[in-house]
Amino acid sequence: MQKITQLAQQREPFLFVLSYDTKQQYIEPLKSLDSDIFFKIGGQRNYPKTPRVKPYSLKKYPLNFSNYKNSLEKVLEEIRSGNTYLLNLTFKTPIESNLNLEEIFTYARAKYKLYFKDQFICFSPEKFVEIEDNTITTYPMKGTIEASIPNAKEKILADSKEMAEHVMIVDLMRNDLSMVGHSVKVEQFRYVDKIKAGDKELLQVSSKITATLPKNWRDNLGEILSKLLPAGSISGTPKHSTVNIINQIEDYDRGFYTGVFGIFDGENLYSAVMIRFIEKEHNRLYYKSGGGITLDSDAKSEYNELIDKIYLPL
């Protein structure tokens, strides 16, 4: 992460793309960005807005329920043993579309978007951290429900499993921010956003947590990000042991999925978690998705959430 610190010290605007395990990194000044990388983040984009030129199709081929349930049971056994309390379990799903990766990127609507070298795209609804002046803010997102369900907002906010999951993530992120700053505060707890999910609308629950950084944070930016990664919302708690369990149970390499990307604009930093993620592998497309597992998780509900998260935001 030395290059991040070096560029921040020089107040040089740059883009960073970090894989889930941070072993793969792309860090380049915005002025010399490769021509096959497009981003939208922090109110900035490096590509023109273009109209949608044709309808899209998206077919998904998820793993069967019994295989999912077997993996879920392994997670639940680890929870019962006290090795984790919350674990974000993910899978990759083969998909087919009439659009290529760049066309899907153009088609999808999202606050945070990345097209990376015809290898993968993400259109994320989830911020990771923002740093403005000396304040660092994170927005953990936990809890999803179809907006069409009667009283959906009231139901998800009253759901004890969703509440427990969200509280654990908020506690984890408070702890993470305390490692890099002081005066940690939960500014907003469990607020609800509505997002487009293909032909559905989803409600997603987030919180806002802030802390104050030292005035010289730009001189240590790489170290700050290292302490915060991987993002708590896509790993779990306690983070170290949960990541080890993920590595044992998940049957594929996450790669850049659930990593983070962002920009430093010369003064401030804006970043997002790389979810809602499509990757090209041997000329096939795979959509990676998942959800948080706790002791109260219901296998069928979690399986359906995994599939519901495979969509293009309209």
Side-chain angles (χ1 to χ4, degrees):
M1 307 285 265
Q2 292 180 348
K3 189 171 184 180
I4 286 179
T5 296
Q6 180 184 10
L7 291 171
Q9 287 175 339
Q10 297 169 354
R11 305 300 191 268
E12 177 68 52
F14 64 89
L15 172 77
F16 62 95
V17 186
L18 308 175
S19 67
Y20 165 67
D21 59 8
T22 68
K23 292 181 179 178
Q24 301 176 72
Q25 302 183 3
Y26 180 88
I27 304 160
E28 288 297 331
L30 295 185
K31 65 185 181 184
S32 56
L33 209 59
D34 292 346
S35 60
D36 52 0
I37 295 177
F38 308 128
F39 70 85
K40 175 186 175 186
I41 194 166
Q44 295 191 43
R45 69 171 76 206
N46 70 332
Y47 62 93
K49 190 173 183 179
T50 56
R52 294 165 171 165
V53 294
K54 58 182 176 181
Y56 85 93
S57 65
L58 178 66
K59 295 181 179 180
K60 38 193 169 182
Y61 303 92
L63 81 165
N64 62 57
F65 176 66
S66 62
N67 287 348
Y68 177 84
K69 190 174 181 181
N70 287 338
S71 294
L72 180 69
E73 286 298 329
K74 293 178 183 178
V75 175
L76 293 177
E77 183 58 35
E78 294 287 350
I79 294 175
R80 294 185 193 104
S81 299
N83 300 321
T84 182
Y85 306 106
L86 168 65
L87 183 145
N88 199 74
L89 181 64
T90 73
F91 295 87
K92 71 176 188 179
T93 299
I95 62 169
E96 292 179 356
S97 176
N98 62 321
L99 306 179
N100 62 35
L101 272 185
E102 187 170 352
E103 289 171 332
I104 295 173
F105 175 84
T106 301
Y107 200 98
R109 299 287 186 258
K111 293 180 180 179
Y112 312 100
K113 294 173 59 176
L114 178 68
Y115 170 87
F116 191 83
K117 296 180 171 292
D118 202 38
Q119 296 176 24
F120 68 82
I121 60 173
C122 75
F123 26 88
S124 177
E126 182 174 357
K127 296 178 183 179
F128 176 48
V129 295
E130 292 180 344
I131 308 177
E132 294 182 326
D133 298 322
N134 299 324
T135 299
I136 183 169
T137 308
T138 189
Y139 302 83
M141 179 182 290
K142 276 295 170 190
T144 304
I145 190 172
E146 283 192 37
S148 61
I149 295 174
N151 302 313
K153 180 178 178 180
E154 291 77 11
K155 285 183 178 179
I156 195 167
L157 292 178
D159 187 296
S160 58
K161 182 263 180 183
E162 296 289 356
M163 170 67 88
E165 185 178 337
H166 201 95
V167 167
M168 282 188 275
I169 285 300
V170 167
D171 190 53
L172 172 63
M173 297 312 300
R174 287 174 60 202
N175 182 69
D176 281 1
L177 290 192
S178 71
M179 293 190 298
V180 299
H182 62 89
S183 302
V184 179
K185 297 179 183 177
V186 179
E187 301 278 357
Q188 291 178 272
F189 181 66
R190 299 190 83 210
Y191 62 88
V192 177
D193 288 321
K194 181 183 288 186
I195 62 171
K196 283 281 192 178
D199 56 355
K200 298 180 180 179
E201 288 186 324
L202 300 179
L203 301 184
Q204 296 204 298
V205 185
S206 301
S207 288
K208 177 182 178 181
I209 310 167
T210 63
T212 301
L213 294 177
K215 291 183 179 180
N216 67 339
W217 63 266
R218 297 173 189 83
D219 298 333
N220 303 286
L221 183 54
E223 181 182 354
I224 290 171
L225 292 176
S226 292
K227 288 181 178 180
L228 298 175
L229 293 171
S233 62
I234 49 73
S235 52
T237 183
K239 189 182 288 188
H240 180 72
S241 63
T242 300
V243 167
N244 289 338
I245 296 168
I246 287 172
N247 294 339
Q248 295 167 19
I249 292 178
E250 291 187 349
D251 62 354
Y252 75 104
D253 182 3
R254 289 192 181 188
F256 280 99
Y257 169 58
T258 66
V260 300
F261 78 104
I263 59 168
F264 175 75
D265 64 8
E267 289 294 328
N268 303 311
L269 179 133
Y270 305 92
S271 64
V273 182
M274 287 192 281
I275 55 175
R276 311 301 183 265
F277 186 100
I278 302 175
E279 188 166 16
K280 182 191 287 187
E281 187 177 314
H282 305 301
N283 287 319
R284 288 209 66 182
L285 297 181
Y286 295 88
Y287 201 121
K288 297 179 177 180
S289 63
I293 307 301
T294 68
L295 189 59
D296 296 326
S297 289
D298 173 75
K300 196 64 178 178
S301 295
E302 298 294 349
Y303 179 71
N304 290 337
E305 181 178 331
L306 173 90
I307 297 171
D308 283 344
K309 288 179 177 175
I310 302 172
Y311 67 86
L312 300 186
L314 305 179

